[in-house]
């Protein structure tokens, strides 16, 4: 447990950030899973709509430092490649 007053404040702040980061990470994971679900079900239109939402979630996560820039690029590349295969 923190002892000093500033450490207690830092703990409160980090708890708030943790909740925010967990919420954003869950949104990211569900968006990517949604795209994969539509790809396996071979639903082209739904997969493309879900792809844009997944891009948005990935970009927000990368912007706020939840995932690194390269990891975001890799995720976007892989899910877009799976959707591209479906559309062809």
């Amino acid at each position: 447990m923190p002892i000093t007053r500033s450490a207690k404040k830092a703990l409160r702040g980090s708890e708030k950030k943790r909740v925010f980061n967990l919420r954003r990470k869950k949104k990211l994971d569900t968006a990517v899973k949604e795209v994969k679900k539509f790809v396996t079900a071979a639903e082209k239109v739904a997969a493309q709509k879900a792809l844009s939402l997944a891009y948005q979630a990935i970009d927000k996560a990368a912007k706020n430092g939840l995932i690194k820039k390269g990891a975001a690029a890799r995720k976007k590349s892989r899910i877009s490649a799976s959707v591209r295969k479906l559309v062809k």
Side-chain angles (χ1 to χ4, degrees):
M1 285 301 296
I3 295 169
T4 61
R5 192 166 69 176
S6 62
K8 289 177 184 174
K9 286 168 117 175
L11 180 67
R12 286 196 305 268
S14 69
E15 285 174 350
K16 288 177 185 175
K17 289 175 190 170
R18 179 179 174 273
V19 169
F20 185 80
N21 286 335
L22 286 173
R23 190 178 311 139
R24 175 143 294 147
K25 180 131 175 72
K26 187 168 177 74
K27 193 173 240 184
L28 168 71
D29 291 339
T30 55
V32 171
K33 282 181 187 176
E34 196 78 11
V35 173
K36 289 179 181 177
K37 182 180 77 171
F38 288 132
V39 167
T40 56
E43 298 179 26
K44 295 177 186 178
V45 178
Q48 287 175 329
K49 285 183 182 177
L51 182 65
S52 74
L53 293 175
Y55 263 42
Q56 190 177 22
I58 291 169
D59 287 337
K60 282 185 179 181
K63 182 178 86 173
N64 292 320
L66 190 65
I67 59 173
K68 293 182 178 179
K69 192 171 76 169
R74 185 175 59 248
K75 281 182 185 290
K76 289 181 354 182
S77 173
R78 288 181 180 170
I79 62 172
S80 66
S82 65
V83 171
R84 215 177 308 118
K85 283 182 187 175
L86 179 69
V87 172
K88 284 185 180 181

